[in-house]
Amino acid sequence: MSTQAETKAKAEALVPKFKFEKLLNQDQAGRRTSLLGTIDSLPALLILERAPFPSSPDYLASVPTTLQTLKNLGANDIYHWYLANSSSQNPSDETADLKINLIHPCSEKHIKKYSKQGVRLVSETPQIYLERVRPYMQAQRDAGRLNWVFNIVEGRTEVEDVIYRTPFDAASLNKEGFLLLPDLNWDRQTLDALHLLGLVERRDIWSLRDLKKKHIPWLNHMKEKFIEATTKVYPSIEADQLKLYVHYQPTYYHFHIHIVHVQLEAGATQATGKAVGLDSIISQLETMGGGDEAGMDRATMSYTLGEASDLWVEVFEPLKRAGGKASQSQ
């Protein structure tokens, strides 16, 4: 009868004997890979998945200084992003095992955003939007937090990254004036994890709240052009493999659209309470009563907020304490 140690040793001896034949699948944005092969001439499946980062302070402190390779993919204002190798074995772009984003210098707002915190579900009525949230948006825009967006829109940075751009004509705002480029969270290699960002040049639309019935032709036109450009640049991707959505609340108040592959793992940024499908917005506008000026500012929006976020601390928590719209802890 085999001892536990013997059973363990036999199991550990199997993996080095695996002979690779075919890549079956990659999912979780390329972090899990399924391989077909053989062990001792018998068929075998080997599923590789990247383990979580160790939480040891010594390990985490050593990571930035022990990278074998580091390649900058882009830089804009305080934002920088890279591909890197943490292993010394055949380091190259193809074997890069880390996608790194750097924010420097970062603000207290950035620190709050990326810190672990409780989450609340809030309900933003048209009145709360007009009286509390809209002034908050204005303050964020006035604080200069859109410089990196304007750098792209005005062609000062990331010019080489733009994969599609329409001419901007201030006299015909509802027709053109938008561009498409890779989102900084995409590694630019894994097509199943494709994530592009569509930015508009016009500055009068801060979020989906500013969209009105009169914008429906412009939204449909932009959707068509973004899909057309994406499938042209990445010909292995077809139109029905793409989904387009916007965030509410967005990270920054300049209207933009996310274009992602349908197989991209739907994490928190695509979850209910954060992402709103572009088709759903267009449909809601189409069925909305009223004239051309009727818009999304009339709707009640429910979404999630971190307890450390300014919107929760400055707007919704005081409303809750005062007996306003209740929120739900998550």
Side-chain angles (χ1 to χ4, degrees), residues 4-51:
Q4 184 176 2
E6 290 173 336
T7 300
K8 184 176 180 181
K10 287 181 180 179
E12 291 174 350
L14 289 173
V15 175
K17 297 165 68 175
F18 180 83
K19 293 184 178 180
F20 171 76
E21 292 182 354
K22 183 180 179 181
L23 169 65
L24 295 180
N25 189 27
Q26 282 191 325
D27 55 11
Q28 294 186 359
R31 291 187 291 272
R32 183 169 62 192
T33 298
S34 301
L35 307 177
L36 176 64
T38 61
I39 295 176
D40 296 332
S41 300
L42 296 175
L45 282 172
L46 186 66
I47 296 93
L48 306 175
E49 186 170 350
R50 296 192 188 278

Side-chain angles (χ1 to χ4, degrees), residues 129 135 168 236-237 292 311:
Y129 167 69
F168 179 62
S236 65
I237 297 177
D292 283 349
L311 263 179

Side-chain angles (χ1 to χ4, degrees), residues 38-99:
T38 61
I39 295 176
D40 296 332
S41 300
L42 296 175
L45 282 172
L46 186 66
I47 296 93
L48 306 175
E49 186 170 350
R50 296 192 188 278
F53 284 100
S55 58
S56 160
D58 289 342
Y59 166 79
L60 296 174
S62 72
V63 171
T65 59
T66 57
L67 297 173
Q68 299 301 307
T69 65
L70 182 67
K71 178 182 179 181
N72 178 246
L73 296 177
N76 184 348
D77 197 48
I78 63 173
Y79 302 97
H80 315 75
W81 46 102
Y82 313 82
L83 280 180
N85 281 275
S86 61
S87 170
S88 59
Q89 185 175 1
N90 302 319
S92 68
D93 289 353
E94 188 174 340
T95 59
D97 59 349
L98 289 176
K99 167 69 170 59

Side-chain angles (χ1 to χ4, degrees), residues 8-309:
K8 184 176 180 181
K10 287 181 180 179
E12 291 174 350
L14 289 173
V15 175
K17 297 165 68 175
F18 180 83
K19 293 184 178 180
F20 171 76
E21 292 182 354
K22 183 180 179 181
L23 169 65
L24 295 180
N25 189 27
Q26 282 191 325
D27 55 11
Q28 294 186 359
R31 291 187 291 272
R32 183 169 62 192
T33 298
S34 301
L35 307 177
L36 176 64
T38 61
I39 295 176
D40 296 332
S41 300
L42 296 175
L45 282 172
L46 186 66
I47 296 93
L48 306 175
E49 186 170 350
R50 296 192 188 278
F53 284 100
S55 58
S56 160
D58 289 342
Y59 166 79
L60 296 174
S62 72
V63 171
T65 59
T66 57
L67 297 173
Q68 299 301 307
T69 65
L70 182 67
K71 178 182 179 181
N72 178 246
L73 296 177
N76 184 348
D77 197 48
I78 63 173
Y79 302 97
H80 315 75
W81 46 102
Y82 313 82
L83 280 180
N85 281 275
S86 61
S87 170
S88 59
Q89 185 175 1
N90 302 319
S92 68
D93 289 353
E94 188 174 340
T95 59
D97 59 349
L98 289 176
K99 167 69 170 59
I100 298 175
N101 293 345
L102 171 66
I103 305 174
H104 173 71
C106 68
S107 66
E108 185 63 27
K109 189 178 181 71
H110 291 118
I111 295 171
K112 290 179 180 178
K113 176 183 176 181
Y114 288 98
S115 296
K116 185 176 181 179
Q117 57 189 286
V119 178
R120 302 283 179 152
L121 178 66
V122 301
S123 184
E124 181 186 293
T125 64
Q127 182 180 359
I128 293 174
Y129 167 69
L130 181 63
E131 296 178 358
R132 304 292 189 94
V133 177
R134 182 74 178 186
Y136 170 82
M137 291 180 175
Q138 181 71 66
Q140 301 306 301
R141 288 174 61 89
D142 292 344
R145 295 197 172 107
L146 291 175
N147 290 342
W148 71 273
V149 177
F150 297 149
N151 285 341
I152 298 173
V153 169
E154 295 171 7
R156 292 195 294 267
T157 60
E158 300 186 55
V159 176
E160 68 282 356
D161 292 330
V162 174
I163 63 177
Y164 176 75
R165 183 168 202 149
T166 66
F168 179 62
D169 181 0
S172 57
L173 286 178
N174 286 325
K175 294 182 180 179
E176 299 288 353
F178 45 85
L179 55 95
L180 187 65
L181 74 165
D183 186 89
L184 63 85
N185 291 308
W186 183 39
D187 65 7
R188 309 191 187 197
Q189 294 180 358
T190 312
L191 289 183
D192 284 355
L194 177 105
H195 190 163
L196 305 179
L197 187 66
L199 286 172
V200 303
E201 296 199 30
R202 58 191 297 172
R203 303 188 185 187
D204 60 325
I205 300 181
W206 303 355
S207 75
L208 66 79
R209 284 291 201 182
D210 292 308
L211 296 174
K212 302 181 183 300
K213 291 178 72 69
K214 67 182 181 182
H215 295 130
I216 292 172
W218 176 66
L219 291 170
N220 278 319
H221 175 65
M222 188 158 47
K223 171 191 170 184
E224 178 185 340
K225 290 298 183 182
F226 281 158
I227 292 175
E228 181 181 294
T230 302
T231 54
K232 182 176 181 181
V233 174
Y234 307 103
S236 65
I237 297 177
E238 298 181 23
D240 58 0
Q241 292 178 301
L242 296 171
K243 58 182 176 181
L244 287 71
Y245 62 87
V246 303
H247 284 144
Y248 196 78
Q249 289 279 329
T251 303
Y252 51 94
Y253 297 111
H254 180 95
F255 188 65
H256 56 284
I257 298 172
H258 296 268
I259 299 94
V260 303
H261 197 289
V262 293
Q263 288 187 229
L264 176 63
E265 295 290 323
T269 61
Q270 293 188 57
T272 301
K274 180 66 175 177
V276 185
L278 183 60
D279 284 336
S280 296
I281 296 171
I282 293 172
S283 177
Q284 188 168 350
L285 288 170
E286 287 174 336
T287 57
M288 186 178 290
D292 283 349
E293 292 300 318
M296 295 298 293
D297 57 349
R298 296 184 178 184
T300 293
M301 302 291 299
S302 294
Y303 52 88
T304 55
L305 286 175
E307 291 178 345
S309 69

